[in-house]
Amino acid sequence: MEDTPGPTFLSYTPNGKKLITVGLNNAIRVFETGSDAEPTNIDDCQESNTAVAAANDFFVTGSEDGTVCKYSLETNTLEGILVRCTLPVRDVALSSDGNWAAVASDELVVKVVNTKDMSLVMYLRNQTRPVKHVSFDQSGSHLAASCSDGQVYIYSLSSEQPKLVKKIDGLVKSLETDSEASSRLIWHPDGRAFAAPTPTRDIQVMSTTDWERQRVFSSGHTNDITAAAWSHNGGLLATAGADRKLILWDTKSQQILKRYDDARATILALAWHPTENMLSYTNNDGELFIHTDFVPSKDVPVLRKTLQPAPFIHDPLAETSENARRPPTNGVKNGVPNRHVRRGTPDSLDEIMGADGESELGDFIEDDDGAGYAEHVNGHGKRTNGHLDALDIPSGKRRAAYGTWQPQVHPPFQAGSTPWRGNRKYLCLNLTGFVWTVDQETHHTVTVEFYDRDYHRDFHFTDRFLYDKACLNENGTLFSCPPSDKHPAMIYYRPHETWTTRTDWRTQLPAGETITAISLSDSFVVVTTSANYVRVYTLFGVPYRVHRQKSSPTVTCASWRDYVLTVGNGAVGADGTTRLLYTIENVKRDDVCQSEDVVALTEGAELRSVFFSEDGDPCIYDSDGVLLILLHWRTPGQAKWVPLLDTKQLDRLAGGRKEESYWPIAVAQDKFHCIILKGGDKYPYFPRPLLSEFDFRIPISSAPAKENDDEEAAGSETQKLEESFVRHSVMLGLMEDLVGATNATHTQRTELSRRELEVDKTLLQLLAAECREGEDRGMKALEVVGLMRDRSGRMLEAAGKVAARFGRDILGEKITQLAERRLVGLNDDDDL
């Protein structure tokens, strides 16, 4: 079918019933899908139309004279002019609901006009050159503008004022607006990615979550790509180029399914039929081709499938689904069929009456008119619930209470590891260094780098086993890989240096097991698996212990020296999520310190990381940004999670101007070491970010409202001292546990004495603050003195001097009495 020779463009209506073509002539053609009748011509139109976009009941066109017109598909007449531009229009696009039309012209501004009220117009002004193509995503909330200078601008239209979300450089080629080559972004139907022609004549897929490049459709065209389109389900891709080739691609494998070399002229526009195996295209010679049975019969099943995922290098949805626990099947368990209907006993009523025992009455009530009063029975002879009204089941989160209920299980994770972002991911991040890997399609390349390059040397190797987890410490690096067709799950340990020849070792796990988490200490290698086994190896690969974890499925693990901490899913709470349980044991002594105790998380929070501090105390970091440490964990039943820092209460976030979160790295030297994640980032990425550190600050209270600045300053000082007292008490308790449970060194005992002194010094400062407030604070001041731990009398003597300095004589007498009681060995609660 031919129009006037020249560039011609087309668009299907979303329901596929009509196809509209426009071109250089002053006629628009409307074709009825599946009809052999002549198309309807609309002659009342602009000349030299350059773009068209259709909804079910109308379509819009753009022309070289700068007008954008709206036409009715019911009457096939012009409804009106939506918007005018001073320069030629190059492209138009409609949102999925048909309410907004985006217009690209040789002007620098992109106009987005409401199709029902043309007075509502949004202007996109960030471009420095004219825009060649515009395209909406499936939701209509984002618009991509391909600029003639090779820049791509992604706008969010979800608010009244458009917002530039991302500016992408180097993805598309720099093209003149009237060029036949294309730089149009085509959004994948699943909404998580888009694709665009590249300067190298490939189709590059890019993720919309992290803006990383994903799979590539390459080596298809020998000249610039002029058009591309996804099938309605995203499972297939059609591309056309200036080489006059039309190529059909498989989305999943990025392989060419069929190549059509019979194009008569350069194809400028492609459009899949929304439901049929049909592709239509127009060229630069005014021709329209409707290609029925475009997809070969062997590949039609791909076209018939439901929505297919975008081609990611590592699909986050696929990784999540692999970690998900499969729900039990009602009535059938492990493929065992339901029981047969119970047979009657030999003397049962049915046996006595025989098959005809109820035949005389069986048809007494017969639903011959379909009125529904005859009751239906199932295979067990029971009445069904077909006569009952349908339940009014609400939608949303509360539906689980009515429909098929499934508990929310915490997925397994590897502490210190990030998800794939493009073809890269961090396998491990800690204070020793970092391990990262790059997916090279056929293999991975792993790099291990250290912060202290004087002590360790970086190394790099080709990874044929596709390691996906790693641990790093001063002694070596531990890797693990998932099972494949060639080998089962495997762990690989590479020591940094030994007094003999360095010996790497690998160990394969039993078939059917996958590794959920690994950890490495100075003494052991720990592996948790999908079979809920905890496997412990020595540093030279000798299997040391194997046991099945009580709480399942497993979540993660951590280790320090001889201690191993494992976390698993426990019982289901009132909110439908499982409660995480942890166990700490000394594997060398085979001694359990804490058994199946609760990981203290708030409702709705998730566990982000688990690790041991520099001094060997268990720490966790949750999705609320709270760092907690485990106190008294060596004594069974006495452990408690104490918050060391709430990152949401940091002073740097007080003004609300910064939007940032924190990736935990370590707890060392009484500081929280982390990576600052700017904006909405959830994981660190490349280039390697710098480490930051924050002092501990236990959340005690918020700043109270004061009537004047002096009261505010006094209250702030008291709060800081109270927080300092609690914090120093926690750190002292941790050190007391360490000294009491180990053969403490002289350095550790000295540190214990220093921490005791820090607690008393803080209380002395708090005493001075209370004395400064006035005589009426004497009771609290005396209580503060009673909290001092010093038994030598020096700190109480200093407290008496503080009271005397502020003229608190009565308080001084009370402090003297307290000192005398302690001197004779009486406790504070004992009577004289």
Side-chain angles (χ1 to χ4, degrees):
M1 300 179 186
E2 293 191 9
D3 286 291
T4 302
T8 309
F9 306 92
L10 81 165
S11 176
Y12 269 109
T13 57
N15 57 19
K17 292 182 178 180
K18 295 183 179 181
L19 174 67
I20 300 96
T21 64
V22 299
L24 291 180
N25 60 347
N26 59 346
I28 298 173
R29 293 189 174 187
V30 180
F31 295 82
E32 295 284 345
T33 303
S35 174
D36 295 332
E38 287 295 318
T40 302
N41 290 338
I42 302 177
D43 298 326
D44 182 15
C45 65
Q46 307 301 117
E47 293 187 359
S48 301
N49 288 304
T50 56
V52 60
N56 285 329
D57 53 355
F58 71 92
F59 66 92
V60 296
T61 63
S63 64
E64 286 191 350
D65 64 3
T67 58
V68 177
C69 300
K70 177 182 178 182
Y71 296 86
S72 170
L73 282 173
E74 296 178 357
T75 61
N76 291 323
T77 58
L78 174 67
E79 288 190 359
I81 297 176
L82 280 181
V83 68
R84 294 182 184 271
C85 300
T86 59
L87 295 174
V89 174
R90 299 303 178 184
D91 196 15
V92 294
L94 282 174
S95 59
S96 56
D97 57 7
N99 290 335
W100 295 94
V103 180
S105 66
D106 285 350
E107 297 177 358
L108 299 183
V109 178
V110 173
K111 300 176 182 179
V112 184
V113 59
N114 190 283
T115 58
K116 297 178 181 178
D117 183 359
M118 63 185 67
S119 64
L120 300 177
V121 183
M122 293 184 285
Y123 298 93
L124 313 182
R125 306 178 184 274
N126 291 84
Q127 307 79 230
T128 57
R129 295 284 302 275
V131 171
K132 180 175 173 60
H133 299 290
V134 286
S135 56
F136 281 97
D137 70 346
Q138 279 65 33
S139 66
S141 61
H142 290 84
L143 180 75
S146 301
C147 199
S148 57
D149 61 358
Q151 306 276 356
V152 176
Y153 297 81
I154 309 293
Y155 289 92
S156 172
L157 306 180
S158 56
S159 58
E160 292 185 2
Q161 293 299 324
K163 178 182 178 182
L164 179 64
V165 176
K166 184 68 176 179
K167 179 181 177 182
I168 305 171
D169 188 17
L171 177 62
V172 299
K173 187 177 181 179
S174 177
L175 297 169
E176 295 299 327
T177 53
D178 58 353
S179 172
E180 290 185 347
S182 175
S183 59
R184 181 190 304 275
L185 263 66
I186 53 172
W187 297 83
H188 191 273
D190 78 349
R192 299 181 298 143
F194 56 77
T198 68
T200 56
R201 302 162 185 171
D202 301 327
I203 295 289
Q204 174 69 61
V205 179
M206 179 173 284
S207 168
T208 59
T209 55
D210 53 18
W211 311 107
E212 288 299 320
R213 301 192 179 205
Q214 302 295 330
R215 299 293 184 182
V216 181
F217 298 81
S218 59
S219 305
H221 293 279
T222 57
N223 208 332
D224 288 339
I225 294 174
T226 57
W230 299 106
S231 62
H232 63 275
N233 66 349
L236 300 171
L237 175 70
T239 60
D243 54 5
R244 297 189 179 183
K245 293 180 180 178
L246 176 60
I247 298 177
L248 176 65
W249 304 80
D250 176 60
T251 299
K252 185 176 182 180
S253 63
Q254 302 89 54
Q255 297 298 314
I256 296 176
L257 299 179
K258 190 166 184 177
R259 190 190 304 266
Y260 298 89
D261 300 323
D262 54 352
R264 295 174 52 184
T266 302
I267 297 173
L268 299 183
L270 293 170
W272 289 83
H273 190 276
T275 57
E276 303 296 331
N277 181 10
M278 184 186 303
L279 181 81
S280 300
Y281 55 88
T282 53
N283 58 27
N284 61 0
D285 199 26
E287 297 174 318
L288 164 68
F289 292 86
I290 301 176
H291 201 315
T292 57
D293 298 328
F294 175 70
V295 179
S297 57
K298 65 181 179 62
D299 300 311
V300 168
V302 178
L303 186 65
R304 301 303 182 202
K305 290 181 178 179
T306 56
L307 182 64
Q308 297 298 294
F312 284 81
I313 295 177
H314 292 276
D315 193 339
L317 288 184
E319 293 179 1
T320 302
S321 62
E322 289 175 1
N323 290 333
R325 194 179 192 187
R326 296 181 180 178
T329 304
N330 293 333
V332 179
K333 191 172 184 179
N334 299 327
V336 180
N338 292 328
R339 294 178 300 173
H340 295 288
V341 180
R342 187 181 64 181
R343 295 183 179 181
T345 57
D347 55 350
S348 66
L349 180 62
D350 292 339
E351 290 290 331
I352 296 173
M353 297 293 293
D356 297 331
E358 59 179 351
S359 60
E360 297 179 3
L361 302 176
D363 297 330
F364 178 73
I365 300 178
E366 186 173 323
D367 192 7
D368 52 1
D369 60 355
Y373 46 75
E375 297 178 350
H376 299 280
V377 296
N378 59 20
H380 301 281
K382 302 295 184 181
R383 185 178 62 169
T384 66
N385 63 353
H387 61 289
L388 299 176
D389 294 333
L391 290 175
D392 184 15
I393 299 177
S395 59
K397 296 181 179 179
R398 297 189 62 187
R399 181 166 186 158
Y402 297 85
T404 303
W405 178 82
Q406 294 294 334
Q408 298 180 25
V409 179
H410 199 297
F413 68 91
Q414 175 65 30
S417 174
T418 67
W420 286 100
R421 188 169 174 181
N423 64 340
R424 295 169 180 253
K425 71 174 292 187
Y426 285 108
L427 299 180
C428 179
L429 287 163
N430 58 28
L431 288 183
T432 304
F434 53 98
V435 184
W436 53 283
T437 183
V438 179
D439 189 340
Q440 306 287 2
E441 299 289 344
T442 58
H443 63 279
H444 292 180
T445 53
V446 176
T447 302
V448 179
E449 297 187 31
F450 298 91
Y451 291 110
D452 188 355
R453 289 190 169 90
D454 294 334
Y455 188 67
H456 294 295
R457 185 174 62 181
D458 300 344
F459 62 90
H460 175 92
F461 65 92
T462 299
D463 169 23
R464 302 288 180 184
F465 295 98
L466 310 182
Y467 297 121
D468 62 345
K469 297 177 179 65
C471 294
L472 177 68
N473 65 9
E474 298 292 339
N475 298 320
T477 312
L478 176 67
F479 299 91
S480 74
C481 66
S484 69
D485 296 337
K486 299 179 180 179
H487 58 78
M490 184 185 307
I491 57 173
Y492 166 54
Y493 180 68
R494 173 173 173 155
H496 300 323
E497 58 184 28
T498 61
W499 56 273
T500 61
T501 304
R502 181 175 60 84
T503 55
D504 304 350
W505 56 267
R506 288 184 175 86
T507 295
Q508 293 184 350
L509 270 63
E513 286 189 44
T514 58
I515 297 173
T516 57
I518 59 174
S519 66
L520 176 65
S521 71
D522 295 339
S523 308
F524 295 100
V525 168
V526 182
V527 179
T528 60
T529 73
S530 57
N532 300 325
Y533 286 126
V534 178
R535 300 181 178 274
V536 182
Y537 303 85
T538 67
L539 294 184
F540 290 94
V542 179
Y544 193 73
R545 296 193 190 280
V546 179
H547 69 271
R548 174 159 284 175
Q549 191 172 335
K550 297 177 183 177
S551 53
S552 65
T554 60
V555 176
T556 190
C557 64
S559 56
W560 180 78
R561 294 186 180 175
D562 300 337
Y563 292 96
V564 173
L565 183 151
T566 56
V567 180
N569 288 276
V572 179
D575 58 353
T577 60
T578 56
R579 293 291 177 260
L580 295 185
L581 305 178
Y582 72 93
T583 296
I584 302 177
E585 61 178 318
N586 187 308
V587 293
K588 182 170 287 187
R589 296 200 307 258
D590 198 17
D591 182 24
V592 176
C593 301
Q594 304 295 325
S595 178
E596 302 300 307
D597 196 7
V598 176
V599 179
L601 298 176
T602 58
E603 183 177 353
E606 292 184 356
L607 188 62
R608 286 285 184 260
S609 187
V610 177
F611 53 92
F612 280 86
S613 70
E614 180 186 41
D615 296 325
D617 295 304
C619 301
I620 61 173
Y621 187 81
D622 63 20
S623 57
D624 290 335
V626 180
L627 172 70
L628 300 102
I629 196 166
L630 195 59
L631 186 63
H632 306 320
W633 57 272
R634 292 178 178 86
T635 305
Q638 298 300 312
K640 60 188 70 174
W641 292 101
V642 179
L644 287 181
L645 178 66
D646 186 348
T647 57
K648 292 182 179 179
Q649 296 184 11
L650 290 175
D651 294 336
R652 57 189 289 126
L653 302 179
R657 295 186 300 271
K658 289 186 178 181
E659 181 185 357
E660 62 185 31
S661 56
Y662 308 93
W663 179 263
I665 296 295
V667 168
Q669 300 174 350
D670 291 350
K671 293 181 183 295
F672 174 53
H673 299 261
C674 63
I675 294 173
I676 299 177
L677 305 176
K678 298 293 185 180
D681 289 344
K682 295 182 179 180
Y683 309 98
Y685 193 57
F686 300 86
R688 176 176 56 84
L690 298 176
L691 297 184
S692 302
E693 58 183 39
F694 296 101
D695 292 326
F696 298 150
R697 190 173 70 184
I698 295 178
I700 297 298
S701 63
S702 58
K706 297 295 181 181
E707 296 180 357
N708 53 58
D709 294 340
D710 293 337
E711 289 186 359
E712 183 177 356
S716 176
E717 179 187 5
T718 302
Q719 278 190 345
K720 289 181 179 179
L721 291 173
E722 289 173 346
E723 185 277 332
S724 179
F725 165 66
V726 176
R727 172 163 40 85
H728 286 307
S729 298
V730 171
M731 305 311 292
L732 174 60
L734 293 171
M735 182 56 66
E736 287 177 337
D737 291 345
L738 177 63
V739 171
T742 61
N743 295 323
T745 63
H746 176 72
T747 303
Q748 290 174 334
R749 294 187 182 278
T750 302
E751 179 66 15
L752 177 62
S753 300
R754 186 189 70 81
R755 291 187 183 275
E756 289 179 345
L757 185 60
E758 286 291 337
V759 173
D760 286 349
K761 282 184 177 179
T762 303
L763 290 172
L764 201 62
Q765 293 174 332
L766 187 57
L767 171 65
E770 295 299 331
C771 291
R772 192 180 299 114
E773 289 297 307
E775 189 73 38
D776 57 336
R777 306 290 285 271
M779 293 296 292
K780 182 178 179 181
L782 181 61
E783 183 184 50
V784 169
V785 175
L787 295 174
M788 292 182 177
R789 302 173 64 93
D790 178 58
R791 291 295 185 261
S792 65
R794 289 180 298 176
M795 295 306 295
L796 293 181
E797 181 182 354
K801 292 180 179 179
V802 171
R805 180 186 305 171
F806 288 96
R808 309 292 181 240
D809 297 334
I810 298 177
L811 176 62
E813 293 177 2
K814 296 290 185 180
I815 294 175
T816 302
Q817 294 176 6
L818 178 62
E820 291 175 351
R821 289 162 60 87
R822 290 192 177 183
L823 186 63
V824 297
L826 293 176
N827 294 326
D828 298 345
D829 296 332
D830 294 338
D831 294 329
L832 286 172

